[in-house]
Amino acid sequence: QVQLVESGGGLVQSGGSLRLSCAASGRTISNYAMGWFRQAPGKEREFVAAINWSGGNTYYSDSVKGRFTISRDNAKNTLYLQMNSLKPEDTAVYYCAATPSRVSRIYTSDTSYAYWGQGTQVTVSS
């Protein structure tokens, strides 16, 4: 069992930055693929970014590529999402996700993830 807790959300003006953190407990995450998803009001949950075991491979949705950076610190059992140049359309609840994997790869589908955090609200004002 892995518990995930997101933090770092809040209200920021357009063009600003936030760093989200996802603290994992219960297991070390060294062999877990991890990712970030978000859900805006009235919309379905969408993929944001994913990262493999070591952090050597990452993948981003087109909407955030070049602005967001996903990273992980396995020694701290923590996943991060650095969000720069934020736009109002980035407003959403952001969720951290993790899943054990015997293969070091990335996953972009929410159905691939076994564990989810409770979400943290990010609001970007214009």
Side-chain angles (χ1 to χ4, degrees):
Q1 295 286 345
V2 174
Q3 295 80 45
L4 304 173
V5 179
E6 302 96 334
S7 62
L11 175 64
V12 64
Q13 290 186 335
S14 180
S17 298
L18 286 173
R19 188 183 73 164
L20 305 184
S21 297
C22 172
S25 62
R27 292 283 192 276
T28 59
I29 61 170
S30 59
N31 290 331
Y32 283 70
M34 302 193 75
W36 289 96
F37 293 78
R38 67 186 183 187
Q39 187 167 20
K43 298 183 178 180
E44 294 186 344
R45 184 176 295 178
E46 67 169 326
F47 168 76
V48 176
I51 192 166
N52 71 336
W53 285 355
S54 66
N57 291 312
T58 58
Y59 190 80
Y60 301 90
S61 68
D62 289 340
S63 62
V64 307
K65 189 176 298 181
R67 299 187 298 118
F68 290 11
T69 302
I70 187 172
S71 62
R72 64 193 296 164
D73 188 335
N74 289 342
K76 295 181 178 180
N77 234 30
T78 303
L79 176 74
Y80 302 98
L81 184 68
Q82 178 66 47
M83 304 185 294
N84 299 327
S85 301
L86 283 162
K87 306 174 181 179
E89 51 263 44
D90 295 318
T91 295
V93 177
Y94 283 71
Y95 297 91
C96 168
T99 196
S101 179
R102 290 177 291 182
V103 179
S104 182
R105 59 162 292 177
I106 59 173
Y107 299 91
T108 60
S109 174
D110 57 359
T111 61
S112 297
Y113 290 90
Y115 303 102
W116 293 83
Q118 83 291 342
T120 185
Q121 177 70 48
V122 172
T123 302
V124 184
S125 65
S126 59

